[in-house]
Every structure is written in C-alpha cells, then in structure tokens.
Amino acid sequence: MILLVLAFLGGILTIISPCILPVLPFVFARADQPFRKSGLPLLAGMAITFAGFAAIATVGGAWIVRANRYGRIVSLVVLAIFGLTLLWPALADRLSRPFVRLGSRLSQPSSSDSGPDTNPGPVRSLLLGVATGLLWAPCAGPILGLILTGAALEGASGRSALLLLAYAAGAATSLAVALLAGGRVFAALKRSLGAEVWIRSVLGVAVLAGVAVIAFGLDRGLLTQISLASTSGVEQSLIDRFHPNTQTNTPPKNPGSMMMMSSTAPGAATGPQMLPDLSGAVAWLNSPPLNGDQLNGHVVLVDFWTYSCINCLRSIPYVRAWAEKYKDSGLIVIGVHTPEFAFEKDLDNVRRAVGELKITYPVALDNDYKIWKAFSNSYWPADYLIDATGHIRFHHFGEGKYDESEQQIQQLLKEHNPQLSVNGLVKVAASGAEAAPASDVESPETYVGYDRADSFMSPGGLKQNMAHVYAIPRHLELNQWGLSGNWTDHAQVASLDSARGKIVYRFHARDLHLVLGPAPNGNPVRFKVKIDGAAPGENHGIDTDAQGDGTITDQRLYQLIRQKNTIEDRTFEIEFLDPGAQAYAFTFG
C-alpha cells in the first residue's frame, strides 16, 4: 500500500519535472475542448501507453525497444501534422495525404458550432494521448526507477503493473488539474475578438516546437538546463521516509555480474550434470535451433559470451579456432550470447558483432537468461564441455588456460572415437581488442552506471536518474574517475545531455577500453581522447587515431588506448563533442 501511494505521489510530481516539459504543448493543445470528451481521453491514452510500455520494457527485451522507437517516430509525424493543422486549418482541405487528413481530424474542435462534424470525437483525443505517451515514456526519477527495478527483478506481475498504473494515474491527475485551469484561461481569452484563432496558432507553434525538441534529442539537454525544478530530491526523501527498507543505492544481485579472468575445474561445477535444454533462446544465428537430440553423439562446447565483454573478445579467437579445427572430428561449438547491457539484446547488434568477429558456429541469443540459469552460470566468458552422451565433463570460467581446455576437447573426442587422430594445439595470433592482455594490469573493470559504479570522485557524487552538471575532480588516485558536463546517470549507463562532456580516469594498464553507444536517435558522436593531457600519438587504440579523434557509430566496446611506452599510472580523458553519448563501462588489458 505504501508503494502504491509513493507511486501516485511520484506521478503527481512529474508536472514540475524536466521530462514533462516537451509533452506539455501536446496536452494543452486540447485545452479549448470539453474536458470529459477531450482532455480525459487524452490523459487516459497517455497514462495507459506509458504504463503499458514501461511494464513490457522490463521483461520484453530488444523487440519492445524497437517497437517503442518506431512508435515514437509515428507519434512525432502525427503530432507534427496536428501542429500544422492548428496553424493552417485549410491545409487538410488542400492536401489529400492520409496523415494530413488525420491531423486535420485531430485538430477539429469538438463543439457543435464548429461545422458539420458535431461528434466530440474522444477517440481522436485518445489517439493523441497514445502518441504523447510514447514520447513521454522514457522519463524516470527515483520513484519510477524503484518501480521499474522491482518489475525487472520480479518479471511481469500484477503488482508491478498496478504500481506503474498508480504512477501514471498520479501524472494524469496533476496534468488534469493543469488542463482544467488552462481551459478556463482559454475560455476567458476566447471572449475577445480574434483570440481563439490567435491562441490556436500559438498552440500550433508550441506543438511543432515540442516535436522538434524531441526529434532532435534536445529534451534531455536544453530542457534540463531551463527547468525551474527537479523532483529527484523530493522523490528520494519520500522513499527514505516512507519506504526505508528499500536499498536504492545497493544493486540487486545481477546474474553474470562478474567478468572472470580464469577458473578451471573438471565436471559441471555446482550446476547440472547433463546438458540442459537450449530452447530458451529467443533466436539463433548461423544455425536453426539446436536441441539435445540433434547434439547427441557429438562433443559439445557451450561458450557463454557477450559482445561488449573484453574478456569474451579475447577468448573468442580460440573458440573460433577450435570450432574450425575440430568441426569434422565431432565437435559442435555453440556460442550462448547472454547480454549484460540492454543494447546487447538487439538482434541486429548481435548479428553485426557476430559478422565482425567472424563467428561462423551457431549462436543462441539468451536474452531472457533461460540458458544461463539452466547452467547455473555466473560468469562471462564461461565454457562448458559436454561429452557425446550429454554429460558435462569440464568447465572453465574466464579467459586463459586455452591449452588445457583444448586438451580436454581432444580427450572427449578420442573417447567417442578412439581411432581419431587429433594432435597439436591451435596457434592464435590475435590483434586489436582480441589480443591477450598485458601482465601489468592494475585497473579493474569499472561501471559508469550508478548500479555498480565505484570510485567516482566528482564533487557531490553521482545523481541517480537526473540531469546534473558535473565537474572534474581536482585530484585522482589510481582507479578513480569523474565526469564533467551535463550528464544523466542511469543504473547501467550515463547519458550526455549536452555537448562537450568529459570522462576522466586514472588507470594502470596497457589497454583501455570503454563500452560506448551513439545518441538514442542513432546520431554518431564524435570524441577526442587524451592521455596525461596530450594526444595519445603512437599509444592510440584501434578506435582512435594519433590525434585522439574517433566517432561512436554503434553500441560496442571501443579500444581507445594501447600503450607502446612504459606502463605506469596515467590519466585518461575523453571529451564528447556531440550530445547523446552513452557510456557503460571501462575495461583494461
């Protein structure tokens, strides 16, 4: 009950939060219409759409991310035409394109004195509400973050859906009050000659401005700068007061939260003794779905990996070489791609990575962690070796000890076919991010999202789920880091809200990698890196040049530094020249 009240209060507070500002023009554009037949359906459509997409997104995987992306595009088109017809009502009469006609119908007044169409048309307002809800759904504060975290952990449930509806109802309530007040102001101005036409024109301009702000990604940057209030502090105080047992700063145990360096043992560890069912994969690449019957009589190597994991990237050349060398000797290699970050659930992203890494063996996309859980796995990378009878005979966690793993493969192949001649070990000469790590590595994997962030030193600490202007710390010890510029730090990722933001890190390693993504709208982001205040020169990584210049084009791991000089403590700096950069995690080698 307390959480329901908190959710409702959090929704009410959205009226003064930065993220509501871009959609206010869409709501107030219907202020001249009867509330029951116009404003109420609009707010209901907005609330239901927000709650629905937020609930599904916690468990829906990559498909809901794409659906929301396309839905936002359609919504922007509909609302843009709606704004144009507010400015020029005759536009719909002159043009015959279906979307323009739809915009005209949406903009027609509901009152009986407006012409032959006397139907109040609540469906039109409901459609506008759905479009508005799709554009508003990404906004979140501490209370909504608490609700979504619980939904993600519990999965789809009536409780999480009810909490999201309570939050949406709170937001609709505060907007309804504002809309009713706006309607009274509109009615007063309408009595003046010509005021109605003038106000509709102003609303049309406001709607088009809102569409432009959202379409160009300015809602996360510009609007947070001009916002007069932030609700995050108030929401956090409500959580602390009324729900003190909630550990909002302590991340839940995340399956696979560890990138292993090396751990080897015979048998199946503490998990199953037989090959588990593989039907939990949401898709397969390079092969139709495989099951136990198809694998019976073969030695099987199951390799758990994810494409932004540096330890996985360094082990893949060996897995790839084993698959090629022993494919005619009875070995089947299956890569199980279990995502760490949300963008790794996207099938197109994984397909691109599989192509770039030249992986030709079957890859199962384990977006729902079903195969991961069936193996009782906890690490990336992790290899499980299964004999021809389906028994798990050997496992290895992390990179390294490749000779031992290959010898185990050879042993099981010979057990199944004593006449088989499999001698010698593969020789791998990997380069780039796939190259073996240096021995002198003193910097650990470091996450930028607050869920697992550590050693953050910018004054004031990380601000959860809210835009904040950070400053570079005056001094950094080894493995400490900080931000500069206007960032919003989420559980898994920090998003740059305006250009010229920076990240600095004091590290000790040969290689420095950073998992990055472009702007949410897909626009590339230019960046420049420095080491000890100067261009990297010959110490640049494969994703930068000697001047330190590079571009984020897709969501993946970027190698930014590969030192050829003496390895010692150094200060790394990356400056993003465009807004929208997504920063996930540092890794070293």
Side-chain angles (χ1 to χ4, degrees):
M1 184 62 186
I2 293 178
L3 267 181
L4 280 174
V5 175
L6 280 175
F8 185 77
L9 291 175
I12 288 177
L13 288 172
T14 59
I15 193 66
I16 59 172
S17 68
C19 68
I20 201 66
L21 294 180
V23 301
L24 285 181
F26 313 145
V27 176
F28 281 98
R30 303 295 281 178
D32 63 324
Q33 308 297 311
F35 177 77
R36 185 173 63 87
K37 297 182 180 181
S38 180
L40 186 59
L42 184 148
L43 294 175
M46 176 180 171
I48 292 171
T49 302
F50 164 78
F53 265 85
I56 298 172
T58 61
V59 295
W63 70 270
I64 193 64
V65 176
R66 291 193 295 271
N68 181 255
R69 183 190 309 155
Y70 299 140
R72 284 169 62 86
I73 294 172
V74 173
S75 299
L76 288 170
V77 172
V78 170
L79 289 167
I81 296 173
F82 173 49
L84 288 173
T85 54
L86 282 173
L87 283 172
W88 297 291
L91 180 63
D93 297 330
R94 295 196 302 265
L95 301 177
S96 59
R97 290 180 300 211
F99 278 119
V100 176
R101 289 177 176 173
L102 175 60
S104 176
R105 289 181 60 83
L106 289 172
S107 67
Q108 288 173 1
S110 298
S111 57
S112 60
D113 61 352
S114 60
D117 185 6
T118 59
N119 185 351
V123 175
R124 304 170 193 163
S125 295
L126 183 66
L127 178 59
L128 278 177
V130 170
T132 303
L134 284 169
L135 298 178
W136 179 57
C139 301
I143 289 179
L144 183 57
L146 173 64
I147 297 170
L148 294 178
T149 299
L153 290 174
E154 296 175 4
S157 68
R159 179 174 178 270
S160 59
L162 188 61
L163 288 172
L164 286 164
L165 282 174
Y167 185 93
T173 299
S174 59
L175 286 170
V177 173
L179 189 57
L180 286 169
R184 292 183 178 180
V185 172
F186 185 91
L189 292 174
K190 188 176 178 180
R191 300 187 188 101
S192 301
L193 183 62
E196 180 176 2
V197 175
W198 178 79
I199 293 173
R200 286 170 64 84
S201 298
V202 171
L203 290 174
V205 171
V207 168
L208 292 175
V211 169
V213 163
I214 295 174
F216 290 101
L218 301 178
D219 51 325
R220 291 289 184 173
L222 176 62
L223 292 179
T224 55
Q225 297 289 334
I226 65 175
S227 175
L228 299 179
S230 173
T231 67
S232 295
V234 177
E235 291 185 39
Q236 191 63 56
S237 65
L238 287 172
I239 292 174
D240 295 339
R241 181 173 181 179
F242 295 107
H243 203 251
N245 293 329
T246 300
Q247 301 297 323
T248 56
N249 293 321
T250 302
K253 180 171 178 56
N254 181 10
S257 61
M258 295 183 65
M259 302 290 186
M260 280 292 290
M261 290 301 293
S262 183
S263 174
T264 305
T270 58
Q273 302 303 308
M274 299 292 292
L275 173 66
D277 184 19
L278 303 178
S279 62
V282 300
W284 286 76
L285 299 175
N286 299 335
S287 168
L290 299 176
N291 55 43
D293 292 339
Q294 294 167 303
L295 299 174
N296 188 39
H298 293 83
V299 175
V300 179
L301 175 65
V302 175
D303 175 56
F304 283 92
W305 70 293
T306 185
Y307 78 80
S308 73
C309 161
I310 183 60
N311 308 82
C312 301
L313 294 179
R314 290 195 288 244
S315 68
I316 280 176
Y318 291 89
V319 178
R320 194 171 56 212
W322 297 333
E324 179 63 27
K325 179 178 179 180
Y326 300 110
K327 64 181 180 181
D328 296 328
S329 301
L331 176 69
I332 295 178
V333 174
I334 300 175
V336 178
H337 185 275
T338 308
E340 180 181 19
F341 300 113
F343 66 80
E344 292 171 310
K345 293 183 177 182
D346 188 277
L347 176 60
D348 291 336
N349 286 348
V350 180
R351 182 183 287 113
R352 185 184 307 113
V354 167
E356 291 174 350
L357 294 169
K358 297 180 174 59
I359 294 175
T360 57
Y361 50 81
V363 175
L365 273 67
D366 187 29
N367 285 359
D368 299 327
Y369 278 74
K370 290 183 179 179
I371 302 176
W372 178 285
K373 292 175 182 177
F375 275 84
S376 297
N377 188 48
S378 298
Y379 305 105
W380 291 286
D383 288 338
Y384 294 86
L385 193 57
I386 297 97
D387 66 18
T389 65
H391 289 81
I392 299 177
R393 298 280 298 276
F394 175 83
H395 71 268
H396 177 79
F397 300 146
E399 53 185 310
K401 298 189 176 179
Y402 301 111
D403 290 353
E404 181 179 354
S405 295
E406 186 173 2
Q407 290 166 356
Q408 292 289 334
I409 293 173
Q410 294 176 347
Q411 177 182 330
L412 294 188
L413 289 172
K414 290 178 180 178
E415 284 183 9
H416 181 58
N417 183 4
Q419 307 303 318
L420 190 65
S421 176
V422 283
N423 298 310
L425 302 175
V426 299
K427 301 297 182 182
V428 171
S431 60
E434 295 180 356
S439 58
D440 188 9
V441 179
E442 298 181 13
S443 293
E445 183 176 24
T446 302
Y447 293 89
V448 180
Y450 67 76
D451 220 15
R452 287 182 280 175
D454 191 19
S455 302
F456 180 75
M457 301 306 294
S458 288
L462 285 172
K463 307 298 181 183
Q464 297 184 10
N465 298 314
M466 61 180 291
H468 183 73
V469 178
Y470 294 91
I472 295 294
R474 294 183 179 179
H475 177 72
L476 289 175
E477 297 290 342
L478 182 62
N479 301 327
Q480 293 179 345
W481 63 285
L483 297 172
S484 172
N486 186 18
W487 293 82
T488 299
D489 195 60
H490 303 284
Q492 286 195 335
V493 59
S495 302
L496 180 62
D497 295 323
S498 55
R500 298 289 177 176
K502 296 181 180 180
I503 307 177
V504 294
Y505 194 111
R506 186 74 172 167
F507 76 104
H508 186 110
R510 181 194 67 191
D511 301 338
L512 181 146
H513 313 90
L514 185 54
V515 179
L516 297 167
N521 59 9
N523 288 343
V525 176
R526 298 166 300 150
F527 63 80
K528 181 179 286 290
V529 303
K530 295 181 180 179
I531 185 168
D532 291 337
E538 65 175 357
N539 296 316
H540 68 89
I542 59 175
D543 293 302
T544 57
D545 59 21
Q547 289 72 44
D549 295 322
T551 303
I552 307 171
T553 55
D554 45 39
Q555 294 163 314
R556 62 177 176 85
L557 181 142
Y558 289 76
Q559 187 188 77
L560 304 177
I561 297 294
R562 165 154 287 182
Q563 295 194 74
K564 295 180 174 59
N565 300 332
T566 302
I567 299 176
E568 56 187 27
D569 293 1
R570 296 185 182 276
T571 299
F572 166 82
E573 174 188 302
I574 181 169
E575 180 179 15
F576 301 96
L577 308 182
D578 305 302
Q582 312 282 303
Y584 292 86
F586 284 93
T587 59
F588 302 90

